[in-house]
Amino acid sequence: MEFTIKSGSPEKQRSACVVVGVFDNRKLSLSAELVDRASNGYISEIIRRGDMEGKLGSTLLLHNVRGTLADRVLLVGLGKERDFRDKEFRAAIRAAVKLLNETGSYEAVIYLTEEKVKRREVAWRIEHAVVVAMDAVYRYERLKSDPTEVRRPLRKLTLSVPQRSDLADGERAALHGVATGHGMEFARDLGNTPANICTPTYLGEQALALGRQFPDVKVSVLERPQIEELKMGSFLSVAQGSDEPPRFLVLEYMQSPRKTKPVVLVGKGITFDTGGISLKPAADMDHMKFDMCGAAAVLGTMRAIAEIKAPINLVVLVPACENMPSGHAVKPGDVVTSMSGQTIENLNTDAEGRLILCDALTYAERYEPEAVVDVATLTGAMVIALGHVACGVFSNNDALARALLQAGDDAYDRGWQLPLWDDYQEGLASNFADFANVAGRAGGSITAACFLSRFTRKYDWAHLDIAGVAYKEGKEKGATGRPVAMLTRWLLTQGDAAVS
Ligand code: BES
Ligand code: MN
Ligand code: ZN
């Protein structure tokens, strides 16, 4: 979809559709008021009849409204004016875009971006309108023989800002929104692609393709011999049960004008998680094709940053393999040696994410990173703790955790911090190795983070457990593209990008 920013009166727009808001209860927004005046009270007349109360997300499409130059006027309910915040703004935009996508208009001018949202500037409204619009029209149809083709899809959205002096801010915000939206689409496509197509090899090919599209991104894809040479014994022990060869993806984007240390993002790339010999139950096992959504999110974030051309240094690392049971698979009780030299007793082969991440976290040391953030669908316990709203945030540095939480709040892609206290470390004790990969059911997300913390002592580090937010279940089953928006926002507050 294409986006432009504009400032001007709604009744004067030559467009297929002009979109204006109505607050609950039947209170016209300023732009609805302007349309009402131009049409000699037509809008207030309709509202008096009771066809539009202003309930959040409700819509009413009007044709040939006199006194206006547009073919249609779309009224969108905004809810109570005093409750109009982040969530409500996004819901109103989503309702408008969903409806527009199903009408005959392939283009529209939206005035909802003129409505005041508490604590938010015009740039925030534009960026979010763009991200939400792209999210709302996203479909994954490459494997359908007869795609549910939208007859006249929405191709172009014009977003209105209150004043001409808002145009510059609005345009830059739209650019950031489009880049974030593209990053999320990329992450969703990767997540939704089934595991028979989205193999570790495929992830490597997708990274190389990203490098061709954005020449600032240097990509190398390491194969088994190179991974062996690096002595990533823990990662390889997970990969050994599968006929699909593992890959280790390295993407480097070094665009800081100064010699700043890079931020390193690490994404869990289990392209399918059967549990291995500690086999998962059959119900919903198809969800485990989403077990590479951490990888998808960091690759999507790299795409967003490269499109924005942010002046930062960013490295993305992805250990990618399948977790399968087989005659070659790692067994409960096996002891493996990680790249760090620390030995690990594998007490549950289904706790495989931490076993591939730990070697990537050790690899990250070579960059002497400013900070390392890993992103992983790591534990089912995370879904129990925070549901599908916030991801879990763990960190060995409180300032880093705070910055990520703040970015998540700004991006409406939120996290919530959990403790990493030493008291939680004890459960990982092993009689046969330096430590085990699991520590019993209690506090499972925290003990998983504790395991990772044993590989991140040399730098500031945060861990995002996205098991509950990476994908949706049920009728809307599919990858969400989270937390690309949080990470992109956070990176844009880093170093030389902070001014923009
Ligand atoms: N990929 C799963 C975590 C997961 C579960 C993600 C549900 C999304 C939805 C992970 O590899 C796993 O199996 N974790 C185990 C750890 C346990 C064996 C300590 C879990 O959460 O059950
Ligand atoms: Mn698992
Ligand atoms: Zn897993």
Side-chain angles (χ1 to χ4, degrees), residues 253 255-258 260-265 301 305 309-314 369-373 397 399-407 460 486-500:
Y253 170 91
Q255 295 299 316
S256 168
R258 283 179 274 117
T260 41
K261 302 176 189 168
V263 167
V264 179
L265 300 179
T301 303
I305 290 298
K309 291 186 173 291
I312 61 170
N313 290 339
L314 175 64
E370 182 63 37
V372 177
V373 179
N397 180 302
L400 174 58
R402 268 198 306 278
L404 285 163
L405 294 173
Q406 180 66 53
D460 291 344
M486 176 210 275
L487 290 170
T488 304
R489 178 97 317 268
W490 173 63
L491 288 167
L492 291 177
T493 62
Q494 293 288 112
D496 288 292
V499 279
S500 61

mmCIF file of all heavy atoms in Angstrom, residues 253 255-258 260-265 301 305 309-314 369-373 397 399-407 460 486-500:
data_model
loop_
_atom_site.group_PDB
_atom_site.id
_atom_site.type_symbol
_atom_site.label_atom_id
_atom_site.label_comp_id
_atom_site.label_asym_id
_atom_site.label_seq_id
_atom_site.Cartn_x
_atom_site.Cartn_y
_atom_site.Cartn_z
ATOM 1 N N TYR A 253 24.960 -4.980 9.518
ATOM 2 C CA TYR A 253 24.586 -3.676 8.947
ATOM 3 C C TYR A 253 25.372 -2.643 9.739
ATOM 4 O O TYR A 253 25.092 -2.415 10.920
ATOM 5 C CB TYR A 253 23.066 -3.491 9.100
ATOM 6 C CG TYR A 253 22.537 -2.107 8.787
ATOM 7 C CD1 TYR A 253 22.110 -1.773 7.502
ATOM 8 C CD2 TYR A 253 22.437 -1.142 9.787
ATOM 9 C CE1 TYR A 253 21.605 -0.513 7.219
ATOM 10 C CE2 TYR A 253 21.934 0.121 9.519
ATOM 11 C CZ TYR A 253 21.519 0.430 8.234
ATOM 12 O OH TYR A 253 21.019 1.682 7.958
ATOM 13 N N GLN A 255 26.310 0.985 9.696
ATOM 14 C CA GLN A 255 26.063 2.285 9.074
ATOM 15 C C GLN A 255 26.169 3.442 10.059
ATOM 16 O O GLN A 255 25.712 4.550 9.763
ATOM 17 C CB GLN A 255 24.678 2.281 8.399
ATOM 18 C CG GLN A 255 24.576 1.319 7.231
ATOM 19 C CD GLN A 255 25.540 1.648 6.114
ATOM 20 O OE1 GLN A 255 25.682 2.805 5.742
ATOM 21 N NE2 GLN A 255 26.228 0.652 5.594
ATOM 22 N N SER A 256 26.762 3.172 11.229
ATOM 23 C CA SER A 256 26.993 4.283 12.140
ATOM 24 C C SER A 256 28.145 5.120 11.599
ATOM 25 O O SER A 256 29.150 4.570 11.154
ATOM 26 C CB SER A 256 27.331 3.761 13.538
ATOM 27 O OG SER A 256 27.813 4.829 14.318
ATOM 28 N N PRO A 257 28.003 6.459 11.611
ATOM 29 C CA PRO A 257 29.094 7.298 11.105
ATOM 30 C C PRO A 257 30.329 7.208 11.989
ATOM 31 O O PRO A 257 31.421 7.558 11.559
ATOM 32 C CB PRO A 257 28.496 8.704 11.130
ATOM 33 C CG PRO A 257 27.385 8.642 12.120
ATOM 34 C CD PRO A 257 26.861 7.242 12.080
ATOM 35 N N ARG A 258 30.168 6.742 13.202
ATOM 36 C CA ARG A 258 31.310 6.608 14.106
ATOM 37 C C ARG A 258 31.579 5.140 14.404
ATOM 38 O O ARG A 258 30.819 4.268 14.022
ATOM 39 C CB ARG A 258 31.075 7.410 15.385
ATOM 40 C CG ARG A 258 31.295 8.902 15.130
ATOM 41 C CD ARG A 258 31.059 9.749 16.337
ATOM 42 N NE ARG A 258 29.666 10.113 16.481
ATOM 43 C CZ ARG A 258 28.907 9.756 17.509
ATOM 44 N NH1 ARG A 258 29.414 9.019 18.464
ATOM 45 N NH2 ARG A 258 27.660 10.144 17.571
ATOM 46 N N THR A 260 31.073 3.062 16.582
ATOM 47 C CA THR A 260 30.334 2.566 17.733
ATOM 48 C C THR A 260 30.220 1.047 17.674
ATOM 49 O O THR A 260 30.215 0.451 16.610
ATOM 50 C CB THR A 260 28.921 3.180 17.783
ATOM 51 O OG1 THR A 260 28.410 3.202 16.446
ATOM 52 C CG2 THR A 260 28.951 4.586 18.324
ATOM 53 N N LYS A 261 30.154 0.441 18.866
ATOM 54 C CA LYS A 261 29.975 -1.014 18.940
ATOM 55 C C LYS A 261 28.559 -1.358 18.481
ATOM 56 O O LYS A 261 27.623 -0.584 18.724
ATOM 57 C CB LYS A 261 30.147 -1.464 20.385
ATOM 58 C CG LYS A 261 31.477 -1.127 21.012
ATOM 59 C CD LYS A 261 31.371 -1.568 22.454
ATOM 60 C CE LYS A 261 32.495 -1.139 23.335
ATOM 61 N NZ LYS A 261 32.116 -1.380 24.749
ATOM 62 N N PRO A 262 28.384 -2.486 17.854
ATOM 63 C CA PRO A 262 27.046 -2.819 17.347
ATOM 64 C C PRO A 262 26.110 -3.346 18.445
ATOM 65 O O PRO A 262 26.559 -3.842 19.480
ATOM 66 C CB PRO A 262 27.334 -3.922 16.335
ATOM 67 C CG PRO A 262 28.561 -4.593 16.852
ATOM 68 C CD PRO A 262 29.386 -3.510 17.509
ATOM 69 N N VAL A 263 24.841 -3.223 18.173
ATOM 70 C CA VAL A 263 23.836 -3.971 18.913
ATOM 71 C C VAL A 263 23.693 -5.309 18.197
ATOM 72 O O VAL A 263 23.699 -5.357 16.966
ATOM 73 C CB VAL A 263 22.489 -3.228 18.914
ATOM 74 C CG1 VAL A 263 21.366 -4.129 19.409
ATOM 75 C CG2 VAL A 263 22.570 -1.963 19.759
ATOM 76 N N VAL A 264 23.609 -6.382 18.964
ATOM 77 C CA VAL A 264 23.426 -7.705 18.357
ATOM 78 C C VAL A 264 22.051 -8.248 18.736
ATOM 79 O O VAL A 264 21.690 -8.270 19.914
ATOM 80 C CB VAL A 264 24.521 -8.698 18.809
ATOM 81 C CG1 VAL A 264 24.291 -10.071 18.189
ATOM 82 C CG2 VAL A 264 25.913 -8.176 18.438
ATOM 83 N N LEU A 265 21.279 -8.643 17.728
ATOM 84 C CA LEU A 265 20.000 -9.306 17.957
ATOM 85 C C LEU A 265 20.156 -10.780 17.608
ATOM 86 O O LEU A 265 20.715 -11.114 16.558
ATOM 87 C CB LEU A 265 18.899 -8.690 17.087
ATOM 88 C CG LEU A 265 18.578 -7.209 17.272
ATOM 89 C CD1 LEU A 265 17.481 -6.786 16.296
ATOM 90 C CD2 LEU A 265 18.141 -6.922 18.704
ATOM 91 N N THR A 301 13.290 -7.000 11.745
ATOM 92 C CA THR A 301 13.835 -5.759 12.310
ATOM 93 C C THR A 301 15.006 -5.260 11.471
ATOM 94 O O THR A 301 15.119 -4.059 11.198
ATOM 95 C CB THR A 301 14.272 -5.992 13.769
ATOM 96 O OG1 THR A 301 13.143 -6.463 14.516
ATOM 97 C CG2 THR A 301 14.806 -4.717 14.394
ATOM 98 N N ILE A 305 15.247 -1.569 9.678
ATOM 99 C CA ILE A 305 16.370 -0.654 9.910
ATOM 100 C C ILE A 305 17.088 -0.329 8.603
ATOM 101 O O ILE A 305 17.458 0.822 8.342
ATOM 102 C CB ILE A 305 17.354 -1.279 10.935
ATOM 103 C CG1 ILE A 305 16.699 -1.307 12.329
ATOM 104 C CG2 ILE A 305 18.686 -0.550 10.971
ATOM 105 C CD1 ILE A 305 16.337 0.054 12.900
ATOM 106 N N LYS A 309 17.405 3.214 6.649
ATOM 107 C CA LYS A 309 18.807 3.637 6.541
ATOM 108 C C LYS A 309 19.260 4.314 7.840
ATOM 109 O O LYS A 309 19.931 5.355 7.826
ATOM 110 C CB LYS A 309 19.021 4.576 5.348
ATOM 111 C CG LYS A 309 18.880 3.878 3.991
ATOM 112 C CD LYS A 309 19.244 4.820 2.847
ATOM 113 C CE LYS A 309 19.271 4.111 1.502
ATOM 114 N NZ LYS A 309 20.394 3.150 1.379
ATOM 115 N N ALA A 310 18.887 3.717 8.954
ATOM 116 C CA ALA A 310 19.253 4.271 10.258
ATOM 117 C C ALA A 310 20.771 4.268 10.426
ATOM 118 O O ALA A 310 21.433 3.309 10.036
ATOM 119 C CB ALA A 310 18.605 3.444 11.371
ATOM 120 N N PRO A 311 21.324 5.350 11.002
ATOM 121 C CA PRO A 311 22.785 5.439 11.157
ATOM 122 C C PRO A 311 23.281 4.685 12.383
ATOM 123 O O PRO A 311 23.809 5.268 13.330
ATOM 124 C CB PRO A 311 23.012 6.947 11.300
ATOM 125 C CG PRO A 311 21.757 7.442 11.952
ATOM 126 C CD PRO A 311 20.633 6.562 11.452
ATOM 127 N N ILE A 312 23.113 3.378 12.384
ATOM 128 C CA ILE A 312 23.510 2.566 13.537
ATOM 129 C C ILE A 312 24.282 1.338 13.056
ATOM 130 O O ILE A 312 24.316 1.054 11.859
ATOM 131 C CB ILE A 312 22.281 2.082 14.353
ATOM 132 C CG1 ILE A 312 21.362 1.196 13.487
ATOM 133 C CG2 ILE A 312 21.497 3.263 14.916
ATOM 134 C CD1 ILE A 312 20.263 0.499 14.279
ATOM 135 N N ASN A 313 24.891 0.639 14.012
ATOM 136 C CA ASN A 313 25.520 -0.654 13.715
ATOM 137 C C ASN A 313 24.659 -1.757 14.318
ATOM 138 O O ASN A 313 24.381 -1.747 15.522
ATOM 139 C CB ASN A 313 26.929 -0.713 14.300
ATOM 140 C CG ASN A 313 27.880 0.216 13.560
ATOM 141 O OD1 ASN A 313 27.607 0.601 12.412
ATOM 142 N ND2 ASN A 313 28.969 0.591 14.204
ATOM 143 N N LEU A 314 24.264 -2.679 13.471
ATOM 144 C CA LEU A 314 23.347 -3.743 13.914
ATOM 145 C C LEU A 314 23.801 -5.076 13.337
ATOM 146 O O LEU A 314 24.082 -5.193 12.150
ATOM 147 C CB LEU A 314 21.922 -3.425 13.438
ATOM 148 C CG LEU A 314 20.850 -4.489 13.714
ATOM 149 C CD1 LEU A 314 20.649 -4.683 15.213
ATOM 150 C CD2 LEU A 314 19.526 -4.105 13.044
ATOM 151 N N PRO A 369 29.780 -6.270 21.854
ATOM 152 C CA PRO A 369 28.544 -5.518 21.567
ATOM 153 C C PRO A 369 28.180 -4.475 22.624
ATOM 154 O O PRO A 369 28.514 -4.622 23.798
ATOM 155 C CB PRO A 369 27.476 -6.603 21.495
ATOM 156 C CG PRO A 369 28.031 -7.732 22.293
ATOM 157 C CD PRO A 369 29.502 -7.698 22.105
ATOM 158 N N GLU A 370 27.501 -3.441 22.145
ATOM 159 C CA GLU A 370 26.900 -2.414 23.005
ATOM 160 C C GLU A 370 25.831 -3.075 23.875
ATOM 161 O O GLU A 370 25.721 -2.810 25.067
ATOM 162 C CB GLU A 370 26.253 -1.364 22.084
ATOM 163 C CG GLU A 370 25.608 -0.188 22.766
ATOM 164 C CD GLU A 370 26.608 0.639 23.534
ATOM 165 O OE1 GLU A 370 27.745 0.790 23.065
ATOM 166 O OE2 GLU A 370 26.239 1.123 24.624
ATOM 167 N N ALA A 371 25.058 -3.939 23.265
ATOM 168 C CA ALA A 371 24.032 -4.718 23.958
ATOM 169 C C ALA A 371 23.636 -5.884 23.071
ATOM 170 O O ALA A 371 23.782 -5.814 21.848
ATOM 171 C CB ALA A 371 22.806 -3.854 24.255
ATOM 172 N N VAL A 372 23.159 -6.952 23.696
ATOM 173 C CA VAL A 372 22.654 -8.107 22.955
ATOM 174 C C VAL A 372 21.218 -8.358 23.405
ATOM 175 O O VAL A 372 20.931 -8.352 24.600
ATOM 176 C CB VAL A 372 23.507 -9.368 23.221
ATOM 177 C CG1 VAL A 372 22.932 -10.580 22.490
ATOM 178 C CG2 VAL A 372 24.954 -9.134 22.805
ATOM 179 N N VAL A 373 20.314 -8.529 22.441
ATOM 180 C CA VAL A 373 18.928 -8.871 22.774
ATOM 181 C C VAL A 373 18.582 -10.139 22.021
ATOM 182 O O VAL A 373 18.694 -10.188 20.794
ATOM 183 C CB VAL A 373 17.948 -7.737 22.380
ATOM 184 C CG1 VAL A 373 16.516 -8.140 22.726
ATOM 185 C CG2 VAL A 373 18.319 -6.432 23.070
ATOM 186 N N ASN A 397 20.662 -5.894 32.949
ATOM 187 C CA ASN A 397 20.892 -4.449 33.047
ATOM 188 C C ASN A 397 19.544 -3.731 33.046
ATOM 189 O O ASN A 397 18.818 -3.765 32.045
ATOM 190 C CB ASN A 397 21.759 -4.004 31.864
ATOM 191 C CG ASN A 397 22.027 -2.517 31.898
ATOM 192 O OD1 ASN A 397 21.109 -1.700 31.892
ATOM 193 N ND2 ASN A 397 23.295 -2.166 31.942
ATOM 194 N N ALA A 399 18.660 -0.605 33.021
ATOM 195 C CA ALA A 399 18.464 0.512 32.085
ATOM 196 C C ALA A 399 18.081 -0.028 30.710
ATOM 197 O O ALA A 399 17.215 0.529 30.018
ATOM 198 C CB ALA A 399 19.730 1.358 31.996
ATOM 199 N N LEU A 400 18.714 -1.120 30.308
ATOM 200 C CA LEU A 400 18.392 -1.752 29.033
ATOM 201 C C LEU A 400 16.951 -2.261 29.044
ATOM 202 O O LEU A 400 16.189 -2.051 28.085
ATOM 203 C CB LEU A 400 19.378 -2.901 28.758
ATOM 204 C CG LEU A 400 19.111 -3.779 27.537
ATOM 205 C CD1 LEU A 400 19.078 -2.960 26.251
ATOM 206 C CD2 LEU A 400 20.158 -4.896 27.433
ATOM 207 N N ALA A 401 16.559 -2.910 30.122
ATOM 208 C CA ALA A 401 15.182 -3.405 30.229
ATOM 209 C C ALA A 401 14.198 -2.252 30.132
ATOM 210 O O ALA A 401 13.205 -2.327 29.402
ATOM 211 C CB ALA A 401 15.000 -4.143 31.561
ATOM 212 N N ARG A 402 14.502 -1.163 30.848
ATOM 213 C CA ARG A 402 13.593 0.002 30.824
ATOM 214 C C ARG A 402 13.457 0.574 29.421
ATOM 215 O O ARG A 402 12.360 0.935 28.993
ATOM 216 C CB ARG A 402 14.109 1.090 31.781
ATOM 217 C CG ARG A 402 13.527 0.975 33.193
ATOM 218 C CD ARG A 402 13.695 2.284 33.973
ATOM 219 N NE ARG A 402 15.083 2.734 34.002
ATOM 220 C CZ ARG A 402 16.003 2.271 34.855
ATOM 221 N NH1 ARG A 402 15.679 1.347 35.748
ATOM 222 N NH2 ARG A 402 17.246 2.720 34.816
ATOM 223 N N ALA A 403 14.580 0.656 28.702
ATOM 224 C CA ALA A 403 14.542 1.214 27.343
ATOM 225 C C ALA A 403 13.679 0.340 26.427
ATOM 226 O O ALA A 403 12.921 0.846 25.593
ATOM 227 C CB ALA A 403 15.959 1.338 26.783
ATOM 228 N N LEU A 404 13.772 -0.972 26.592
ATOM 229 C CA LEU A 404 12.962 -1.875 25.767
ATOM 230 C C LEU A 404 11.483 -1.759 26.131
ATOM 231 O O LEU A 404 10.613 -1.755 25.245
ATOM 232 C CB LEU A 404 13.447 -3.320 25.938
ATOM 233 C CG LEU A 404 14.763 -3.646 25.224
ATOM 234 C CD1 LEU A 404 15.387 -4.923 25.767
ATOM 235 C CD2 LEU A 404 14.546 -3.753 23.709
ATOM 236 N N LEU A 405 11.199 -1.656 27.429
ATOM 237 C CA LEU A 405 9.798 -1.519 27.864
ATOM 238 C C LEU A 405 9.200 -0.225 27.321
ATOM 239 O O LEU A 405 8.065 -0.193 26.854
ATOM 240 C CB LEU A 405 9.705 -1.541 29.397
ATOM 241 C CG LEU A 405 10.089 -2.862 30.068
ATOM 242 C CD1 LEU A 405 10.122 -2.700 31.587
ATOM 243 C CD2 LEU A 405 9.135 -3.983 29.673
ATOM 244 N N GLN A 406 10.010 0.841 27.369
ATOM 245 C CA GLN A 406 9.551 2.137 26.856
ATOM 246 C C GLN A 406 9.274 2.058 25.353
ATOM 247 O O GLN A 406 8.244 2.531 24.872
ATOM 248 C CB GLN A 406 10.614 3.212 27.142
ATOM 249 C CG GLN A 406 10.236 4.602 26.661
ATOM 250 C CD GLN A 406 9.038 5.161 27.412
ATOM 251 O OE1 GLN A 406 9.035 5.192 28.639
ATOM 252 N NE2 GLN A 406 7.999 5.577 26.690
ATOM 253 N N ALA A 407 10.201 1.440 24.623
ATOM 254 C CA ALA A 407 10.023 1.287 23.172
ATOM 255 C C ALA A 407 8.762 0.467 22.886
ATOM 256 O O ALA A 407 7.997 0.778 21.968
ATOM 257 C CB ALA A 407 11.243 0.621 22.554
ATOM 258 N N ASP A 460 25.973 -6.365 28.237
ATOM 259 C CA ASP A 460 24.598 -6.044 28.634
ATOM 260 C C ASP A 460 23.662 -6.836 27.730
ATOM 261 O O ASP A 460 23.825 -6.843 26.500
ATOM 262 C CB ASP A 460 24.325 -4.547 28.470
ATOM 263 C CG ASP A 460 25.105 -3.726 29.480
ATOM 264 O OD1 ASP A 460 25.604 -4.323 30.472
ATOM 265 O OD2 ASP A 460 25.235 -2.511 29.280
ATOM 266 N N MET A 486 8.564 -3.094 18.423
ATOM 267 C CA MET A 486 9.277 -2.719 19.650
ATOM 268 C C MET A 486 10.775 -2.569 19.374
ATOM 269 O O MET A 486 11.412 -1.573 19.758
ATOM 270 C CB MET A 486 9.081 -3.783 20.741
ATOM 271 C CG MET A 486 9.867 -3.501 22.001
ATOM 272 S SD MET A 486 10.383 -4.962 22.903
ATOM 273 C CE MET A 486 8.950 -5.300 23.890
ATOM 274 N N LEU A 487 11.347 -3.566 18.703
ATOM 275 C CA LEU A 487 12.794 -3.569 18.475
ATOM 276 C C LEU A 487 13.216 -2.423 17.563
ATOM 277 O O LEU A 487 14.243 -1.774 17.802
ATOM 278 C CB LEU A 487 13.222 -4.910 17.864
ATOM 279 C CG LEU A 487 13.135 -6.108 18.806
ATOM 280 C CD1 LEU A 487 13.337 -7.415 18.041
ATOM 281 C CD2 LEU A 487 14.164 -5.992 19.935
ATOM 282 N N THR A 488 12.424 -2.159 16.528
ATOM 283 C CA THR A 488 12.762 -1.078 15.596
ATOM 284 C C THR A 488 12.724 0.260 16.328
ATOM 285 O O THR A 488 13.634 1.084 16.203
ATOM 286 C CB THR A 488 11.798 -1.083 14.405
ATOM 287 O OG1 THR A 488 11.842 -2.373 13.792
ATOM 288 C CG2 THR A 488 12.175 -0.025 13.377
ATOM 289 N N ARG A 489 11.665 0.463 17.121
ATOM 290 C CA ARG A 489 11.565 1.691 17.901
ATOM 291 C C ARG A 489 12.759 1.831 18.844
ATOM 292 O O ARG A 489 13.380 2.883 18.937
ATOM 293 C CB ARG A 489 10.232 1.673 18.677
ATOM 294 C CG ARG A 489 9.952 2.808 19.560
ATOM 295 C CD ARG A 489 9.063 3.931 19.021
ATOM 296 N NE ARG A 489 9.245 4.423 17.673
ATOM 297 C CZ ARG A 489 10.022 5.450 17.318
ATOM 298 N NH1 ARG A 489 10.753 6.092 18.193
ATOM 299 N NH2 ARG A 489 10.079 5.848 16.070
ATOM 300 N N TRP A 490 13.107 0.741 19.526
ATOM 301 C CA TRP A 490 14.235 0.776 20.453
ATOM 302 C C TRP A 490 15.535 1.130 19.727
ATOM 303 O O TRP A 490 16.276 2.012 20.164
ATOM 304 C CB TRP A 490 14.378 -0.577 21.173
ATOM 305 C CG TRP A 490 15.620 -0.680 22.017
ATOM 306 C CD1 TRP A 490 15.929 0.075 23.112
ATOM 307 C CD2 TRP A 490 16.721 -1.566 21.805
ATOM 308 N NE1 TRP A 490 17.160 -0.292 23.600
ATOM 309 C CE2 TRP A 490 17.662 -1.299 22.824
ATOM 310 C CE3 TRP A 490 17.004 -2.573 20.867
ATOM 311 C CZ2 TRP A 490 18.869 -1.989 22.925
ATOM 312 C CZ3 TRP A 490 18.204 -3.263 20.977
ATOM 313 C CH2 TRP A 490 19.123 -2.970 21.994
ATOM 314 N N LEU A 491 15.783 0.489 18.589
ATOM 315 C CA LEU A 491 17.026 0.747 17.853
ATOM 316 C C LEU A 491 17.096 2.191 17.374
ATOM 317 O O LEU A 491 18.176 2.773 17.305
ATOM 318 C CB LEU A 491 17.142 -0.216 16.667
ATOM 319 C CG LEU A 491 17.447 -1.669 17.060
ATOM 320 C CD1 LEU A 491 17.226 -2.610 15.887
ATOM 321 C CD2 LEU A 491 18.869 -1.798 17.595
ATOM 322 N N LEU A 492 15.937 2.772 17.079
ATOM 323 C CA LEU A 492 15.933 4.162 16.601
ATOM 324 C C LEU A 492 16.190 5.163 17.734
ATOM 325 O O LEU A 492 16.373 6.343 17.477
ATOM 326 C CB LEU A 492 14.611 4.489 15.901
ATOM 327 C CG LEU A 492 14.402 3.760 14.560
ATOM 328 C CD1 LEU A 492 13.047 4.102 13.985
ATOM 329 C CD2 LEU A 492 15.505 4.097 13.563
ATOM 330 N N THR A 493 16.194 4.685 18.967
ATOM 331 C CA THR A 493 16.556 5.565 20.084
ATOM 332 C C THR A 493 18.032 5.380 20.445
ATOM 333 O O THR A 493 18.515 5.962 21.409
ATOM 334 C CB THR A 493 15.707 5.277 21.337
ATOM 335 O OG1 THR A 493 15.956 3.930 21.754
ATOM 336 C CG2 THR A 493 14.232 5.453 21.056
ATOM 337 N N GLN A 494 18.751 4.548 19.670
ATOM 338 C CA GLN A 494 20.151 4.238 19.954
ATOM 339 C C GLN A 494 21.091 5.217 19.256
ATOM 340 O O GLN A 494 20.876 5.553 18.093
ATOM 341 C CB GLN A 494 20.494 2.841 19.440
ATOM 342 C CG GLN A 494 19.814 1.712 20.160
ATOM 343 C CD GLN A 494 20.380 1.527 21.535
ATOM 344 O OE1 GLN A 494 19.704 1.776 22.513
ATOM 345 N NE2 GLN A 494 21.632 1.145 21.617
ATOM 346 N N GLY A 495 22.139 5.617 19.917
ATOM 347 C CA GLY A 495 23.253 6.350 19.334
ATOM 348 C C GLY A 495 22.852 7.451 18.381
ATOM 349 O O GLY A 495 22.051 8.328 18.717
ATOM 350 N N ASP A 496 23.403 7.393 17.155
ATOM 351 C CA ASP A 496 23.208 8.463 16.190
ATOM 352 C C ASP A 496 21.807 8.503 15.606
ATOM 353 O O ASP A 496 21.421 9.475 14.970
ATOM 354 C CB ASP A 496 24.231 8.335 15.057
ATOM 355 C CG ASP A 496 25.618 8.706 15.536
ATOM 356 O OD1 ASP A 496 25.836 9.890 15.831
ATOM 357 O OD2 ASP A 496 26.466 7.801 15.656
ATOM 358 N N ALA A 497 21.051 7.431 15.816
ATOM 359 C CA ALA A 497 19.674 7.417 15.306
ATOM 360 C C ALA A 497 18.753 8.178 16.247
ATOM 361 O O ALA A 497 17.646 8.566 15.882
ATOM 362 C CB ALA A 497 19.186 5.986 15.150
ATOM 363 N N ALA A 498 19.225 8.432 17.478
ATOM 364 C CA ALA A 498 18.356 8.976 18.527
ATOM 365 C C ALA A 498 17.726 10.306 18.161
ATOM 366 O O ALA A 498 16.620 10.608 18.590
ATOM 367 C CB ALA A 498 19.127 9.095 19.827
ATOM 368 N N VAL A 499 18.427 11.099 17.348
ATOM 369 C CA VAL A 499 17.891 12.417 16.999
ATOM 370 C C VAL A 499 16.664 12.315 16.095
ATOM 371 O O VAL A 499 15.776 13.152 16.138
ATOM 372 C CB VAL A 499 18.960 13.306 16.326
ATOM 373 C CG1 VAL A 499 19.841 13.917 17.384
ATOM 374 C CG2 VAL A 499 19.783 12.504 15.331
ATOM 375 N N SER A 500 16.617 11.271 15.246
ATOM 376 C CA SER A 500 15.515 11.175 14.275
ATOM 377 C C SER A 500 14.252 10.609 14.902
ATOM 378 O O SER A 500 14.256 10.066 15.976
ATOM 379 C CB SER A 500 15.923 10.345 13.083
ATOM 380 O OG SER A 500 16.240 9.035 13.483
#
